[in-house]
Amino acid sequence: MPLLVGGANPDLLRWGGAHADAVGLSGLGRTLSDGHSHTVSWSPQRVDAHVERVHQGARDAGTGPPVIEALVQRVVVTDDRYAAASLAERPNTPVEDLLAVPYLWIGTADELLEQLHSARHRWGITRWGVREDSLGHAESVIERL
């Protein structure tokens, strides 16, 4: 039976690399006091570290790495990705980082497709989960995959 584990906890990512068929990267950190919101630290370097933990777990177990997927937190189809990203309510995060991480799809359909290809090349992400409230916005990208 296939097993998917997901999150950002370093131990979980290593364990998933060793034992799971797929590991999902959520981009979310600790749960905040409201019980629903989470801290985030979205940067390409953080994604590098998360993927490396998954790969390290696989190496330690002597297995090949599992499938890597990412949970897309928000989709915004727009002609002005920089302006939309600057409104993404992530203080202290450079816009360039927001546009590079796999957790936000912001831009034209062509820009989003390029982002997906870049994520596959850099991190090996081959599967995507999109939150229900963003599915309608993601259709223009999904149709072209």
Side-chain angles (χ1 to χ4, degrees):
M1 182 175 306
L3 174 65
L4 163 69
V5 297
N9 178 284
D11 292 336
L12 174 73
L13 294 173
R14 280 190 294 276
W15 189 91
H19 301 286
D21 300 289
V23 174
L25 306 177
S26 66
L28 301 177
R30 297 191 188 285
T31 304
L32 299 176
S33 61
D34 69 3
H36 300 285
S37 302
H38 296 82
T39 62
V40 298
S41 178
W42 289 345
S43 73
Q45 296 77 18
R46 179 63 67 116
V47 180
D48 289 342
H50 288 175
V51 171
E52 175 52 31
R53 286 185 182 106
V54 173
H55 286 224
Q56 185 63 52
R59 285 191 301 271
D60 291 348
T63 65
V67 170
I68 305 286
E69 71 175 45
L71 177 58
V72 179
Q73 303 292 337
R74 180 182 283 173
V75 179
V76 179
V77 179
T78 177
D79 290 333
D80 191 347
R81 68 192 315 243
Y82 287 93
S86 67
L87 299 174
E89 299 177 16
R90 297 293 172 220
N92 305 319
T93 303
V95 170
E96 292 77 17
D97 284 357
L98 295 175
L99 294 174
V101 297
Y103 314 118
L104 294 174
W105 290 359
I106 300 174
T108 65
D110 286 337
E111 289 168 329
L112 299 180
L113 285 172
E114 178 57 36
Q115 182 178 353
L116 271 65
H117 291 297
S118 294
R120 182 181 187 123
H121 176 74
R122 181 170 181 170
W123 297 302
I125 297 172
T126 58
R127 291 195 333 203
W128 301 89
V130 178
R131 291 194 177 273
E132 183 179 8
D133 59 351
S134 290
L135 283 175
H137 300 288
E139 285 180 13
S140 62
V141 178
I142 294 168
E143 291 171 352
R144 295 177 60 186
L145 291 177

